[in-house]
């Protein structure tokens, strides 16, 4: 187990002192005094996705051996972990640390249940998009461990070379005799997450950003000229059959596995099923419909410190100096096969060409907005895109989307 030494000198003395004080003060997470009257060691309670417990056990044991602080890893159902944390943290009965996703940040911050994390001089060790996603309104609240984004899965036996553009992708597939060269999950209510790279290629992000790079909820870029250009293009692609709301996730998967489609826009979670089916998968950049880059959303996973924890310094120390190491981030990678957030670990994982492909696409990714206003966007976004794909007037439908989102935010 490699320990990150960069912040240990700065944090070490403070951590030890704070741990002792926390143990003396007592809390829901601390043990009582031992029989000899001395102070028992502090315990850090860490809630994690059940599938990640084994990957973190080595870090927990190493930290306990080094500091005398016990780390209690509690496996939780990923579907319940956020709500349970928000409910329990204010009572003091929740964990010291919780694993979660960066797009929880707006809700967690609004509820006042998370504390800032001090990365010190290790901040430069992380992929830029991971660090950006871990920061909310100028403050870092999350220690990132994984970055996830979509990319093009290409059947290299059907199409030997990557597409140079969206139109080239369709042309290559048609030249290979495919009726449906390209598939992407949509469904009756649309799926704007998967269409976002094409939207950004028209210069139409959801929100603009301020001078510090924070998303600005007052700057709704959906209504920009680029947004309407994207809507017009989307309508044309729907009419051409290149987007289809009858194609949900399962249908898109089946068409790619059966060789009916050569290009599939999806995430790393679907690579295994394709390779297991014998498809010769190569990961490509998302082909742009314009001269600009098609930038997908990045989802970042990490760890938060509870604002109600009596052991914040110990929790910060454990995260920065143990979870934030190449060894541990690679253990987490092995458990989930998602690109590590730590640059050194990401580069090591990228010895696998599949991971390298997602890393290359992720270099152009942008964090999914974690601001509360994003909820108002999701409410209307997919339905509007689905309507446009199915023949609704692009300009009028997009304008209604912009109006509905603006009213909901206000």
């Amino acid at each position: 187990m490699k320990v990150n030494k960069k912040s240990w000198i700065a944090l070490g003395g403070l951590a030890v002192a704070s741990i002792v004080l926390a143990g003396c003060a007592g809390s829901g997470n601390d043990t009582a005094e031992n029989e000899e009257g001395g102070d028992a060691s502090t315990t850090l309670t860490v809630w994690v996705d059940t599938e990640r417990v084994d990957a973190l056990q080595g870090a927990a044991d190493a930290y306990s051996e080094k500091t005398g602080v016990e780390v209690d890893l509690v496996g939780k159902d990923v579907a319940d972990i956020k709500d349970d944390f928000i409910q329990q943290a204010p009572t003091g009965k929740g964990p010291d640390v919780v694993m979660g996703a960066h797009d929880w940040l707006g809700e967690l911050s609004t509820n006042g249940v998370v504390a800032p994390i001090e990365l010190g001089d290790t901040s430069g060790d992380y992929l830029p998009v991971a660090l950006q996603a871990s920061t909310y309104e100028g403050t870092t609240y999350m220690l990132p461990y994984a970055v996830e984004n979509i990319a093009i899965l290409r059947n290299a036996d059907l199409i030997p070379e990557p597409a140079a553009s969206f139109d080239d992708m369709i042309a290559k597939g048609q030249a290979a005799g495919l009726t449906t060269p390209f598939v992407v999950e949509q469904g009756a209510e649309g799926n704007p997450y998967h269409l976002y790279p094409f939207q950004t290629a028209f210069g139409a992000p959801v929100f603009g950003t301020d001078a510090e790079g924070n998303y600005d909820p007052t700057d709704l870029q959906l209504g920009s000229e680029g947004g309407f250009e994207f809507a017009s293009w989307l309508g044309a692609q729907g009419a051409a059959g290149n987007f289809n709301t009858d194609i949900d996730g399962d249908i898109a998967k089946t068409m790619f596995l059966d060789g009916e489609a050569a290009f599939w826009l999806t995430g790393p979670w679907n690579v295994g099923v394709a390779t297991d089916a014998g498809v010769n998968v190569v990961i490509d950049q998302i082909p742009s419909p314009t001269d600009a880059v098609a930038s997908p959303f990045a989802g970042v996973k990490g760890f938060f410190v509870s604002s109600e924890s009596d052991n914040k310094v110990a929790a910060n120390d454990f995260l920065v100096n143990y979870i934030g190491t190449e060894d541990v981030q690679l253990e987490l990678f092995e458990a989930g096969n998602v690109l590590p957030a730590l640059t050194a670990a990401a580069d090591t994982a990228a010895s696998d060409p599949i991971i390298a492909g997602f890393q290359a696409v992720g270099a152009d990714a942008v964090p999914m907005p974690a601001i509360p206003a994003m909820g108002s966007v999701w409410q209307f976004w997919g339905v509007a895109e689905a309507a446009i794909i199915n023949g609704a007037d692009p300009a009028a439908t997009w304008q209604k989307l912009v109006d509905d989102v603006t009213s909901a935010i206000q």
Side-chain angles (χ1 to χ4, degrees):
M1 176 64 60
K2 295 180 181 177
V3 177
N4 189 332
K5 299 296 185 182
K6 288 188 175 183
S7 297
W8 178 255
I9 295 175
L11 289 170
L14 179 60
V16 171
S18 297
I19 290 166
V20 172
L21 290 174
C24 292
S27 76
N29 290 328
D30 295 344
T31 54
E33 289 188 349
N34 61 29
E35 293 181 359
E36 289 75 25
D39 296 320
S41 63
T42 300
T43 296
L44 285 178
T45 300
V46 182
W47 284 4
V48 301
D49 175 359
T50 301
E51 296 180 358
R52 305 293 187 272
V53 172
D54 290 345
L56 291 169
Q57 193 61 58
D61 292 344
Y63 187 72
S64 297
E65 182 178 353
K66 178 74 175 181
T67 66
V69 177
E70 294 299 319
V71 179
D72 181 20
L73 298 176
V74 179
K76 298 280 288 185
D77 187 325
V78 69
D80 301 327
I81 194 168
K82 181 182 71 171
D83 290 343
D84 287 354
F85 176 62
I86 290 174
Q87 291 169 8
Q88 294 189 34
T91 71
K93 296 180 180 179
D96 297 285
V97 173
V98 63
M99 174 184 280
H102 91 272
D103 57 341
W104 298 1
L105 257 177
E107 186 176 359
L108 297 182
S109 177
T110 299
N111 282 278
V113 295
V114 287
I117 288 179
E118 297 294 335
L119 295 179
D121 59 1
T122 69
S123 61
D125 296 345
Y126 292 89
L127 297 172
V129 71
L131 194 62
Q132 184 182 359
S134 301
T135 302
Y136 184 72
E137 296 184 343
T139 300
T140 301
Y141 287 98
M142 188 177 79
L143 189 288
Y145 79 85
V147 178
E148 194 168 58
N149 54 267
I150 58 176
I152 287 288
L153 274 62
R154 171 169 52 89
N155 184 328
D157 289 337
L158 295 176
I159 308 291
E161 299 295 330
S165 66
F166 186 90
D167 288 344
D168 183 48
M169 176 176 67
I170 302 302
K172 276 181 164 55
Q174 291 174 340
L178 300 175
T179 303
T180 308
F182 161 75
V183 286
V184 59
E185 174 183 339
Q186 283 301 288
E189 296 185 352
N191 191 313
Y193 170 82
H194 282 85
L195 296 188
Y196 194 62
F198 306 120
Q199 182 177 316
T200 59
F202 284 91
V206 178
F207 296 106
T209 54
D210 60 22
E212 286 75 41
N214 302 304
Y215 284 113
D216 181 358
T218 67
D219 184 12
L220 186 66
Q221 289 292 305
L222 283 176
S224 66
E225 180 179 352
F228 286 92
E229 290 175 355
F230 165 69
S232 177
W233 176 84
L234 185 61
Q237 299 307 314
N242 295 327
F243 293 111
N244 188 338
T245 58
D246 290 336
I247 296 179
D248 60 14
D250 288 338
I251 293 174
K253 180 190 302 182
T254 298
M255 293 180 71
F256 185 77
L257 298 185
D258 290 349
E260 295 179 45
F263 299 93
W264 182 17
L265 180 57
T266 189
W269 52 86
N270 274 322
V271 171
V273 69
T275 55
D276 288 348
V279 179
N280 182 11
V281 174
V282 176
I283 307 301
D284 291 342
Q285 294 282 347
I286 301 170
S288 176
T290 71
D291 292 335
V293 171
S295 299
F297 277 135
V300 180
K301 299 179 181 180
F303 297 84
F304 304 96
V305 174
S306 171
S307 60
E308 298 302 316
S309 171
D310 289 337
N311 308 312
K312 293 185 183 68
V313 175
N316 198 105
D317 179 33
F318 173 62
L319 293 183
V320 172
N321 295 311
Y322 287 77
I323 304 300
T325 62
E326 183 176 355
D327 281 356
V328 176
Q329 297 237 335
L330 286 173
E331 287 282 351
L332 287 163
F333 164 72
E334 292 293 335
N337 211 35
V338 180
L339 182 74
L342 192 72
T343 302
D347 290 344
T348 298
S351 60
D352 179 335
I354 296 290
I355 300 301
F358 279 102
Q359 183 182 27
V361 176
D364 294 322
V366 294
M368 187 184 299
I371 56 178
M374 191 63 192
S376 300
V377 178
W378 292 120
Q379 183 179 356
F380 303 102
W381 197 11
V383 173
E385 290 185 345
I388 292 171
I389 290 171
N390 288 327
D393 179 77
T397 305
W398 199 259
Q399 185 62 61
K400 186 177 186 303
L401 165 65
V402 173
D403 293 343
D404 286 343
V405 171
T406 300
S407 296
I409 291 175
Q410 293 175 348

